[in-house]
Amino acid sequence: MYATNYHRPATIEEAVSLLTGNDEAKALSGGQTLLPTMRQRLAAPSDLVDLRGLPGMTGVSAGDGTLTVGAAVAHADVAGNADVLRLIPALAGLAGRIGDPAVRHMGTIGGSLANNDPAADYPAAALALGASIVTNSREIDAGDFFQGMFTTALEDGEIITAVRFPVPEKAAYAKFPNPASRYAMVGVFVARTSAGARVAVTGAGADGVFRHSAMETALDADWSPEALAGVATPADGLLSDIHGSAAYRAHLVGVMARRAVAAAG
Amino acid sequence: MSTGIGARVRRKEDRRFITGKGRYTDDIRNDNQAYAAFVRSPHAHAAVKGIDKAAAEAMEGVIAVLDGHQLTGDGIGNIITGWAITSRDGSPMNIGAWSALATDRVRYVGDAVAVVIAESPALARTAAEAVAVDYEPLAAVAQPVAALASGAPQVHDNVPGNLVFDWEIGDEARADAGLAAAAHVTEVEISNNRLAPNAIEPRSAIAIHDEAEDHYTLYTTSQNPHVARLVLSAFYNVAPEHKLRVIAPDVGGGFGSKIYIYPEEITCLWAAMKTGRSVKWTAERSEAFMTDAHGRDHVTRARMGFDKNGRITAFKVDTIANLGAYVSLFATATPTYLYGTLLSGQYDIPAIYGTVKAVNTNTVPVDAYRGAGRPEATYLIERTMDIAAREMGMDPAELRRINFIKAFPYQTQVLLNYDSGDFPALLDMAQKAADTAGFAQRKAEAAARGKLRGIGYSTFIEACGLAPSAAAGSLGAGVGLWESAEVRVNPVGTVEVLTGCHSHGQSHETTFAQLVSDRFGIPIENISIVHGDTDKVQFGMGTYGSRSGPVGMSAVMRALDKVEAKVRKIVAHQLEASEDDIEIVAGEARVAGTDRKMAWHEIGLAAYTAHNLPADMEPGLKEGAFFDPVNFSFPSGCFICEVEVDPETGVTEIVRFVSADDFGTIINPMVVEGQVHGGVTQGIGQALLEQVVYDESGQLLTGSYMDYCMPRADDVPSYAIAHGCTPSPNNPLGIKGCGEAGAIGAPPAVINAIADAIGTDDISMPATPQKVWEALHRARPAVAAE
Ligand SMILES: Cc1cc2nc3c(=O)[nH]c(=O)nc-3n(C[C@H](O)[C@H](O)[C@H](O)COP(=O)(O)OP(=O)(O)OC[C@H]3O[C@@H](n4cnc5c(N)ncnc54)[C@H](O)[C@@H]3O)c2cc1C
């Protein structure tokens, strides 16, 4: 790790001002992605701006058919939150299977979405549930937020402050973990929402998380695992690496989607 | 509670380990401490055109930047291999030179070309990044079969065709005749996946040069500190043996990878002399993946012949073994005398012939890793038996049973002479524990849940207790493989046992003490085990090859015999009795049938005060012994594994695992079970999860745990362990060794179970979900389909 300056701002505004106009500064949330990268000397930010505990970024609140999770809420706190468990249990289940206990107690939802790792779990939930990504300056629809591997709609210095999830009628997440890293090799989040069925796939796409419209159409017609039987997932555009070929991933998308629909009931 | 032989004594060392009080090399800090960081090649193969150190040298806090030309210029010798192998045409092996710091050419990703010594580890690393090396990349080859192809890139100029040796064992004409006469011949093509050792403690070294005495001290993560000192002194010219002390303090696992003397330790010693500073280096995990000697990496074609009754007629084997870029210390022995000699397995095979081509590639050196050669042989034999059983429509357990060796000693066709065993009994024991009779029902029940259930056997033998020195010498070993011990009884009766073995997870502080407690009936708290320091223990060969029990403990037993004999003499003299009437029980020596006795501490005191000893007796109570085994020991076992495969995803779950082992005498069953648990888990890791991957250009793709998959607790089942016992006739305890059995026996049991479940043998290690799903897809498309 290279030497770096650590900042602990008191407000979101102060954090934004520390980040703005400084290319070498980075927001620090749970540090579960950023710190390992720095320790491997793959990143060398001059300044770290710690977002944890900032007013306006913590806590979970329910109301108005939505569930709002502060960006600095740790995975374990999502997994164990009573409102999350009551309103979107699939989200709690997803959070409870990220990494290991240490990662879940440090890593945060805001950090995960901002990072947009193609194998991360939360992007699938955000996209399938049609979440809004709330930042210090605006709200971004999940459909516009994810812009390919490790790329998002966030501007320089823009901070995610919360994530707002519309509560679905039903939802479930089925994850096939990469045997080594246990990130998602294929993760499929299915939701039946007021706007129809939504299926988001993570882990598999070469451009990161994506919606599976053929499956959505099939599920709109008939919400059942059987409805997905004939729906193809082309291997084109899927990741291929030492853990899984594109063809195998394409196959797993089908299996995981059926399992998710079955679990959602 | 007994603390003698056979008792489940709690580990004495655990208190310090589980309270964080262990003292590992990296925990040690010296005055004058400086830190080393290595400049490593990012290329698998390149010419080094120049090294520009100026920017690094100019950084504040950088003490020195040293390169390979300086190292060789100071007379530091090339790294050696310890076992000479002769090719089948009679020619000696071809060895490319290996300098601790490469000079003109780098040969694998991670090959070090320079070292930075600086005031802090972070600074050393930053400065290492500032060293500008001018590389001219060369074509590289990473796969062993490709390395033998004509026109393949040459790793070393003096190793034509990358062929280090082409060795043979057994009788080819006889094997050919056996195959020709066979009613059925099973042909297999099998690869044994390359593994990274992954000791939990990465390698570490601290070198100190005392200018006043011109004396060196090396703290290091070694399984065999005396061998390290010998080699550092005799071959690398670091310092003469009496001017070099090697200390291996607490060491967090080795699995073979800490046997060898690596470039980093040599460089640290040399750099300590150059800089006048104590030089410390601790590998990062990514350095460990890149530079710790890997294991396995064989590709084999074999044919096994059977007569019409299923009796084996012959076994013929051709193996290509990847040695990596340089030939490491045990690298030549592992695929030859630890592999080829095991090709008879538990079976009476009348004709065996094997060849092994050892090749250089642009990958990190490959050397012994838990089991070393024996897992490769076992996997080959046990997979071949299962494939043959399926081809011939026989029950795999029955095919094994009818071929078992049943009378001992048994001379195999491949040098070894098995001393003892009872293979049918182990098979019976394992089948009972695994309830094989109920398997069909469990399979049907699994099918109802949509799962494919399979059962797999592995009946295996190992040659442990390395090794009879003269035999090893006649086969090319550069050292003897005896062990030494010294037993010191102090004037107050406490006992220190000095051993040349080294514990890095094996529990010697407990099990070696049990021998003393057993012999004299004294409390285990009063016994200390001293090891891992060349200034304390006179000499020893270290711990690997399941040798600490059969060889190291045998030396302790011999020393105890001598102590006991002297005790008898002292007590008989003091109590005016005959030596033959002295009984040593529960920490006392008494004259049988009387109430005359001496307490243990009184005996110690008598020996050291020397006021009343027999006329010709020297004072003191301290005895040493060297034990050189007359043969290897031969632990054997039967493992039965049951799996359930999810046909939709290819995921394998191990639902049952039974081991029935014959380790001979067991000193501490709890410790032995721990060794079995760890070994089997490593074997399951090899079978299902682990694989080092280099791409075609020699880049390491599995450089971290994001890509290299280690077994986790939820990957393995609860193990059921049973023990048979046929004591080894070749050592005083009848002990055979238990450290490697699990890693040797488990992989074929797992793969055989998967093959049984999915109904095809078209599956290789690691049997990842994708591979299992693909195999199923190829063999039974209907089952694997969406
Ligand atoms: C061993 C291990 C296993 C893991 N397994 C999984 C897994 O199974 N599934 C999974 O999904 N993830 C996994 N992760 C990743 C983990 O979930 C991380 O917590 C997450 O990806 C990043 O969150 P963080 O809070 O730690 O962010 P940090 O590491 O602090 O930051 C990550 C990036 O996001 C930026 N950032 C952070 N917060 C904000 C914000 N509020 N606004 C704008 N930018 C921000 C940072 O500047 C940085 O670039 C694993 C991590 C580890 C170490």
Side-chain angles (χ1 to χ4, degrees), chain B residues 7 21 40 75 111 138 154-155 179 208 215 218 229 246 312 353 364 406 465 491 545 621 643 645 664 701 706 713 761:
Chain B
K21 300 287 192 315
R40 299 189 182 280
D111 209 353
L138 301 170
Q154 288 293 290
V155 180
L179 287 173
I208 301 161
H215 179 278
L218 176 68
R229 184 181 64 164
V246 178
I312 305 169
Y353 179 71
V364 74
K406 295 185 186 82
L621 196 48
V643 299
V645 172
L701 300 186
M706 293 297 281
D761 282 298

Side-chain angles (χ1 to χ4, degrees), chain B residues 142 409 634 653 753 767:
Chain B
F634 297 97
E653 187 191 352

Side-chain angles (χ1 to χ4, degrees), chain A residues 2 180 243-245 248 251 259, chain B residues 129 646 648-649 707 712 770:
Chain A
Y2 300 97
H243 303 287
S245 64
Y248 180 57
H251 166 76
R259 289 185 182 180
Chain B
E129 286 166 8
D646 177 348
E648 280 193 321
T649 57
D707 291 305
R712 295 162 165 96
Q770 168 167 336

Side-chain angles (χ1 to χ4, degrees), chain A residues 19 25-37 48-49 51-52 57 71-75 94 97-100 103-104 106-117 119-123 145 154 157-162 173 175 177 181-184, chain B residues 706 712:
Chain A
L19 288 166
K26 276 238 166 227
L28 174 70
S29 193
Q32 297 303 292
T33 292
L34 187 51
L35 294 184
T37 319
L48 288 180
V49 181
L51 306 180
R52 286 167 307 168
M57 291 188 63
V73 177
H75 309 331
L94 174 151
R97 285 191 64 201
I98 294 175
D100 51 51
V103 169
R104 290 196 288 276
M106 291 297 291
T108 65
I109 187 169
S112 178
L113 294 176
N115 195 49
N116 193 20
D117 187 310
D121 296 300
Y122 268 130
F145 181 80
L154 290 175
E158 189 173 4
I159 290 176
I160 304 176
T161 56
Y173 181 58
K175 173 176 180 175
S181 72
R182 297 211 174 165
Y183 275 69
Chain B
M706 293 297 281
R712 295 162 165 96

Side-chain angles (χ1 to χ4, degrees), chain B residues 67 106 143 154 285 438 440 471 479 551 595 597 671 736 774:
Chain B
D67 65 33
V106 285
Q143 307 308 326
Q154 288 293 290
R285 185 58 64 183
V479 288
V551 191
D595 59 0
K597 61 185 183 188
V671 164
K736 294 186 173 183
E774 284 173 348

Side-chain angles (χ1 to χ4, degrees), chain A residues 78-204:
Chain A
V78 172
N81 182 276
D83 285 331
V84 183
L85 284 163
R86 182 168 52 87
L87 296 172
I88 320 181
L91 188 64
L94 174 151
R97 285 191 64 201
I98 294 175
D100 51 51
V103 169
R104 290 196 288 276
H105 280 88
M106 291 297 291
T108 65
I109 187 169
S112 178
L113 294 176
N115 195 49
N116 193 20
D117 187 310
D121 296 300
Y122 268 130
L127 191 58
L129 292 169
S132 291
I133 315 299
V134 185
T135 76
N136 57 301
S137 57
R138 55 181 172 149
E139 288 202 17
I140 310 169
D141 181 75
D144 302 323
F145 181 80
F146 302 109
Q147 302 196 341
M149 266 200 201
F150 300 107
T151 314
T152 68
L154 290 175
E155 304 279 351
D156 242 19
E158 189 173 4
I159 290 176
I160 304 176
T161 56
V163 189
R164 186 164 300 137
F165 295 97
V167 175
E169 290 167 30
K170 46 177 77 170
Y173 181 58
K175 173 176 180 175
F176 189 92
N178 174 312
S181 72
R182 297 211 174 165
Y183 275 69
M185 192 147 103
V186 167
V188 180
F189 201 107
V190 300
R192 200 157 92 180
T193 72
S194 52
R198 296 193 40 149
V199 178
V201 178
T202 189

